[in-house]
Amino acid sequence: MYPFSKIEKKWRKRWLEKAIYEPNLKKAKKPFYNLMMFPYPSAEGLHVGNTYAFVGSDIYGRFKRMSGHDVFEPIGLDGFGIHSENYALKIGAHPMKQAKVSEKNFYRQLQSLGNGFAWNEHLETYDPDYYRWTQWIFVQMWRNGLAYRKKQLVNWCPSCKTVLSDEQVISGECERCGTKVIKRELEQWFFRITKYADRLLRNLEKIDWPEKIKIAQTNWIGKSEGALIGFPVLETEFKIEVFTTRPDTLFGATYLVLAPEHPLISNLESKISNFKEVEKYIGRAAKKTEEERVAEGKEKTGVELKGLKAINPATKEEIPVWIADYVIGGYGTGAVMAVPAHDERDFEFAKKFDLPIRQVVMPRLLDPANPPRKGKPDTKRDIIHCLVKHPKENKIIVLRSKKLDWLTPVTGGIEEGESALEAAKREIYEETGYKNLRLLKEYPWTFHAEFYAAHKDVNRAVHSRVFYFELKNLERDEISPKETEKHDVEWLPLAKLHDLHPMAEVPFLVKWLDQGESAVVEEGVVFNSGKFDGLTSAEAKWDIAKFAGGKRTTNYRLRDWLISRQRYWGPPIPMIYCEACAAKGKGERKDMPGWYAVKEKDLPVKLPMVKDFKPLGTGQSPLATVKLFYETKCPACGAKARRETDVSDTFLDSAWYYLRYPSLGAKNSRLETKNSKLEIPWNQEITKKWFPVDMYIGGAEHAVLHLLYVRFAAMAFKDWGLISFEEPFKKFRAHGLLIKEGRKMSKSKGNVVRPDEFIEKYGTDTLRIYLMFLAPFEQGGDWRDAGIIGAVRFLNRVWKLGQSRLVRQKSLSPWLHGSIKKITEDISALHYNTSISELMVVLNKLESEPAAGRKDFEVFLLLLAPFAPFMAEELWESSGRRFSIHKSSWPEYDKKLVSAPTFELIVQINGRLRGKVTAAKGIGEAEAKKLAYGQPAVKDYLSGKEIKKIIFIPGKIINFVI
RNA sequence: GCCCGGGUGGCGGAAUGGCAUACGCGGAGGACUUAAAAUCCUCUGUCCGAAAGGACUUGUGGGUUCGAGUCCCACCCCGGGCACCA
């Protein structure tokens, strides 16, 4: 066992003394900002999941440093906010005191990881020197019109006793404590993130982020193109405006539905004959939790606004108006046109309340864009559709059935003992006399639907299977004249068929609304729609919208960021409300009389020490009970005024921390404004040099939280001229989740692994190696206590080899070049597990190859250094090399030597392995053939057989086809 | 329901369309040892076979290809995200 604790202590000290992880922030030539999402500290300390993420990030940083970059790898604590406060509440401590305890413990643990952190630049979000600037950012948001206050239905966590942003509600539950979230109407501060919706979406194309995260953000932003269409309310001057993405279905809109909170309802109180009932429904809907709304799921509720009628602008029909809570107040206009034939929710609602359903679109059944529904086939009722493609003329055979006087591919069912495919072939033969069929494609679609023939509504529900054949030749067997007499056979041109899908334009299979089952949501061809009949949905959409007086718009699902929190442990929102000014309509901004931002020079608004900091649950922060805090003077008129007592969301703290790190030791810049110079929270020169961040690593769970807010903030800073980029992180990678023996680690299960005991028992390097070896970093892995022994053995062997006498060589062993290449590439791709496996392969060779020597070993140490920084450094020193290995150059490989001069030629017969021969790299087919014949087994296989074909892939394989 | 991942030995996991199971854990046997631990060596996908050898094998079923874990179609299962967004 190598003496890890002595070695680690020694180097930890030396590294700090020599500041090898502190780049020159002002003068660095090749800056590389390697950032890791900073942790929020609970006093329970770092858990092995954090360790996993931090170590993974550090390996990348160390690799970049050795590759010649000036790497900056800062660390800090996200210790302000609800997570830390909840923890303090739980253990009965005061967050302000607890912060200091946690800080000490966390930094001690972070030190022990052996990461190359730049300790001079650490920051804590609860430090007044930090949150002064968080508040400053709030003030700038306010000054630039991005912060506003509004009364609205908001998410409320009854357990955390605060409001939450939409992003913090996960499936109807509080992101922090898992309690069901309810809706409350409160006046709150918001950030206008929606202003950036389109930019947030468009920029995704430009950044190197995992597809998974981009998709999550895309969905969250939820852009939809549609139209606003007004429905006049009969006998009033009001128009109900709806947003729809499907104006092509407007002729099928048979009623309107408003959200319960729709403002029109109170305006039209006098016209609504059943207003009491309506009010009661609105009251009930407001009380429901998110969870109740979801749990009720499909069971729709609603009330008709009796006495009101609206006019469908397309059909001019009078249609009823309802309210229902399946319509969301905050999206679109809070009202929808209901098209029950083409929308699942409207369909259900119409079924329940017996409202008219009118189909106006028929989708093609075989359209690739509209894959059929799943279900179990009913073989007895299988209907087989046989389509035959002309081999040369690009035409398709369809069968004309006299029974139906319209083109339909309907054939019979399956006979006794016959497979569906056999039945199809038989059918084709009986109908056409064509025999030589080759199955091109089978569509075993087993959906339940009715068929619609273009001019007739027809047929019955069936299950369907479609076979698509190609004729091998055109010879027609005249065997069944009787059948062909009965049915005409016709070749239809396939001109319209696009390449993608051989049946995309088959004209006669059209899905029909099944009145008993469900809506037809696919797009298709419009009918029952006056002059628009026959157009496709895509063609008809905007024409119909225009016809009805609507206008095209884009809608986003994204809503503004609710920033206030009714909690104690956070930066007080730096705003002041003056009643006197408000009464006069005065204020800093016209739209919000009475409100003033705290002047920049007066920041920070310090969070006072409050003994009883527990959340109140009244909709106000505990600060509202501290007179000394909230009593102040109006910055404009000097009258008695009141401070805002809510604090800001913790995600605002983390939305800008990365900008602060490199400027911590420098002077803040000042920005010229119209009237004065404005101090900003960072140094422009340094910021220019170090941003955007080169590599950011963190958890994927922040896909639509931190990772969205931080992008929004950067865009705002850019627009205010504070920074010159708008995407903060060029490259982001999400680390995987560490589980234990197949199950999630959680405190309640008691299977949380703490890194400390393993570091104590085996050393930091061993833990690092094991963590990084157990699975691909981005995928996450399965921790098993027993598995660490592999890492222990590996490092012990390295240590032993380091103690042994190694031969001095002139040059590197040639086989090492391939390994250097592989490890270099694997680290770049974050494939740490395969890098380590290759290090193991190298070690095996160093131990067994007699020619391996000191030079090889030193290269091995360099390759090992990012993973096991302590041992690599120690052995580097004892090998007589200069301090520090971590500042040494990453080994280069010779391209010519990457692969050996010989290779193993694989000999296959009919694709099966029959032999291997060692051969020189450049041999041709003839030589390879000779070598293959030299193999007795191969010779046996080939003797007396005719070789039809030889496939020879140089440098790899020779395959005989017999 | 929709959108992402993923399914490979006893386990964690490797494999630019070309030797499936690298590397490691575990297991078996052996060496060293009074003994154990540690260490080192050999073997270790399944089935048939005494062996030589053969057959089978990457969730299931089809397809493309000289050749498929890898590409295409359909299905099943697991994990994650979103979820009445009109």
Side-chain angles (χ1 to χ4, degrees), chain A residues 15 36 72 320 584 611 627 650 722 730 830 892 956:
Chain A
W15 290 339
M36 171 66 213
F72 180 50
K584 290 179 219 150
K611 260 206 181 134
K627 215 169 162 191
T650 177
L722 302 185
K730 268 189 267 193
L830 269 49
E892 284 179 21
K956 272 187 183 150

Side-chain angles (χ1 to χ4, degrees), chain A residues 18 62 84 104 125 138 190 226 241 316 318 340 394 459-460 463 470 486 490 539 568 714 740 753 856 864 937:
Chain A
K18 303 275 176 185
R62 287 180 178 278
S84 302
K104 207 174 148 202
T125 50
F138 190 101
F190 291 88
E241 195 149 70
K316 310 290 183 215
E318 287 178 22
N394 216 26
N459 289 3
R460 57 192 193 281
H463 291 274
E470 188 174 50
K486 269 209 312 222
E490 183 177 79
E539 288 162 350
Y568 167 70
K740 185 174 183 196
V753 178
D856 296 335
L864 178 71

Side-chain angles (χ1 to χ4, degrees), chain A residues 248-252 314-315 342 357-362 452 457 512 525-534 544:
Chain A
D248 53 310
T249 64
L250 180 56
F251 282 84
T315 60
H342 301 294
I357 300 171
R358 184 190 304 138
Q359 186 175 6
V360 292
V361 173
M362 42 188 183
Y452 181 78
D457 25 66
W512 185 244
V525 178
V526 167
F527 71 109
N528 273 343
S529 297
K531 61 178 179 178
F532 303 100
D533 283 3
I544 292 180

Side-chain angles (χ1 to χ4, degrees), chain A residues 903-905 920-925 928 951-958:
Chain A
F903 73 102
E904 280 221 290
L905 177 72
K921 244 316 152 32
I923 60 159
E925 182 170 336
I951 280 113
F952 174 68
I953 311 291
K956 272 187 183 150
I957 198 168
I958 184 160

Side-chain angles (χ1 to χ4, degrees), chain A residues 74 170 185 389 448 475 492 516 597 714 719 817 939:
Chain A
I170 315 287
E185 190 166 37
K389 194 183 166 207
H448 185 81
E475 277 168 54
L492 279 191
D719 288 355
H817 291 269
K939 214 170 164 182

Side-chain angles (χ1 to χ4, degrees), chain A residues 135-199:
Chain A
Q135 292 173 334
W136 183 90
I137 286 165
F138 190 101
V139 172
Q140 304 314 309
M141 289 277 180
W142 160 259
R143 298 222 196 287
N144 287 284
L146 291 177
Y148 67 94
R149 207 174 147 84
K150 194 182 162 191
K151 193 171 186 181
Q152 186 178 304
L153 273 185
V154 291
N155 309 304
W156 174 267
C157 172
S159 160
C160 292
K161 299 193 170 96
T162 179
V163 297
L164 300 170
S165 71
D166 290 331
E167 288 79 8
Q168 283 156 346
V169 179
I170 315 287
S171 307
E173 293 175 359
C174 170
E175 180 245 352
R176 294 268 30 111
C177 67
T179 306
K180 317 279 185 227
V181 167
I182 58 169
K183 290 276 181 194
R184 271 181 84 168
E185 190 166 37
L186 291 168
E187 195 173 308
Q188 298 291 316
W189 287 100
F190 291 88
F191 280 172
R192 214 179 288 282
I193 190 172
T194 50
K195 191 181 163 196
Y196 291 87
D198 198 48
R199 232 154 113 194

